[in-house]
Amino acid sequence: MLRTILVTTVCATLAAPSLAACTLSQLQDITASYVTAQSSGKLPALASGAAYTENFQAADISTGVLTKPLVISHNRSLHDTVACATFTELIAPNNSPPYVLGSQIRLTDDGTKIKSIDSIITTNGDWLFNATGTLYWSQQEDLKAGWEVIPEEKRDTREVIQAAADAYFDLFDDHSVVVPWGTPCDRLEGGLYTGTGSETDSCNLGVPDGISIVNRRYVVDETVGSVDVFVNFGGASGNPDSHNFRIVDGKIRYVHTMTFGQIED
Ligand SMILES: *[C@@H]1O[C@H](CO)[C@@H](O)[C@H](O)[C@H]1NC(C)=O
Ligand SMILES: *[C@@H]1O[C@H](CO)[C@@H](O)[C@H](O)[C@H]1NC(C)=O
């Protein structure tokens, strides 16, 4: 009897998955069901009392963008097993009207239900919006396996990935911050590409000064070296904005942004 208990305990300890709060497959189910929901207009299952925002404003999910079936041309998701959260980027240039959407979804601690969905919804008239361009450049990056899974032994830690994103944001308020720029590096800002896709593209092209980037909410996925951050761009009431970073060997290689509203020059 005692022996059975001991054996059971040891096995349970060995089998326990690190400190992960949610499993990858639970999170993958959520992002798959979210993409299906947005392309069919049928809502995904939510925990009771789930929170829903569009461009950082509380909104009614039953009349929101999720109830509109969209023609989606490209989707990519991050899965954060520690924070029990996901991020999905949807590019829909062939929808009428065209959209580029980013959604952070947070789950209940057991990973089974959606606790909140926060979406940034960009369309014609938003800052640098051009969904055709967003799709084109995303596909160019796919051709270079730009956002593929990184072999386990080469992955950066969550801390390194998040620190690279934070350094980038901090630069907008303090030009002495050292940002870990990689090469090549490209910024896809709305539908505008800062490079040409060449091996020498640089992201270190200068940024404005005096812009604080606050209310940072992270979804980190070490398997693809990525972090998406929802922020207010330009102080507490600044534009709702998503920055999705690809980090390799601690250095920034790609940044995808979507920004709701207009930014004054
Ligand atoms: C989302 O992306 C996956 C893999 O990239 C693809 O298999 C799937 O068809 C896409 N879904 C939609 C609705 O575009
Ligand atoms: C949008 O992007 C596409 C692809 O890069 C480009 O051909 C087109 O000129 C852009 N449209 C505008 C209005 O900038």
Side-chain angles (χ1 to χ4, degrees):
M1 178 63 182
L2 185 60
R3 192 160 161 238
T4 313
I5 292 170
L6 274 178
V7 169
T8 313
T9 311
V10 169
C11 288
T13 308
L14 288 177
S18 63
L19 288 173
C22 292
T23 66
L24 180 60
S25 76
Q26 281 174 321
L27 296 173
Q28 286 170 332
D29 285 349
I30 292 290
T31 52
S33 74
Y34 168 75
V35 174
T36 305
Q38 188 61 85
S39 51
S40 69
K42 294 197 191 79
L43 292 179
L46 304 172
S48 69
Y52 179 69
T53 65
E54 293 189 346
N55 298 322
F56 299 179
Q57 301 291 315
D60 182 354
I61 197 168
S62 68
T63 56
V65 73
L66 261 172
T67 61
K68 299 184 193 174
L70 300 189
V71 181
I72 296 166
S73 301
H74 193 273
N75 72 90
R76 182 186 297 113
S77 294
L78 308 184
H79 303 96
D80 186 334
T81 53
V82 175
C84 253
T86 66
F87 168 72
T88 301
E89 177 184 273
L90 299 177
I91 309 174
N94 298 322
N95 194 74
S96 181
Y99 283 111
V100 176
L101 288 152
S103 290
Q104 288 193 354
I105 299 179
R106 295 183 191 273
L107 305 184
T108 52
D109 287 345
D110 62 358
T112 60
K113 293 209 182 69
I114 293 176
K115 197 165 71 174
S116 64
I117 303 179
D118 298 295
S119 295
I120 293 192
I121 302 164
T122 62
T123 187
N124 292 324
D126 288 315
W127 174 248
L128 300 178
F129 182 82
N130 176 1
T132 310
T134 308
L135 178 64
Y136 174 78
W137 290 110
S138 294
Q139 288 172 333
Q140 295 301 304
E141 291 174 355
D142 288 348
L143 291 174
K144 294 186 273 187
W147 295 77
E148 286 303 294
V149 169
I150 295 173
E152 210 160 342
E153 69 279 6
K154 291 191 172 167
R155 286 179 196 161
D156 290 314
T157 62
R158 298 173 65 79
E159 291 71 23
V160 165
I161 293 167
Q162 184 171 323
D166 279 330
Y168 182 93
F169 289 138
D170 292 344
L171 183 69
F172 285 75
D173 208 17
D174 177 356
H175 282 180
S176 72
V177 171
V178 176
V179 178
W181 302 114
T183 311
C185 177
D186 287 291
R187 287 155 58 179
L188 177 56
E189 312 209 321
L192 189 75
Y193 215 52
T194 56
T196 59
S198 86
E199 284 307 300
T200 54
D201 283 356
S202 168
C203 287
N204 190 8
L205 305 167
V207 299
D209 202 4
I211 295 180
S212 62
I213 298 176
V214 299
N215 299 330
R216 302 175 190 178
R217 284 156 284 163
Y218 309 87
V219 174
V220 181
D221 186 337
E222 306 94 306
T223 68
V224 286
S226 293
V227 55
D228 175 75
V229 197
F230 274 14
V231 300
N232 285 98
F233 194 93
S237 59
N239 298 64
D241 176 286
S242 166
H243 272 62
N244 185 15
F245 296 85
R246 163 83 163 184
I247 315 287
V248 180
D249 292 333
K251 297 195 160 60
I252 299 174
R253 296 292 296 276
Y254 294 120
V255 189
H256 287 188
T257 76
M258 49 184 101
T259 308
F260 174 70
Q262 280 299 317
I263 293 184
E264 285 160 35
D265 287 311

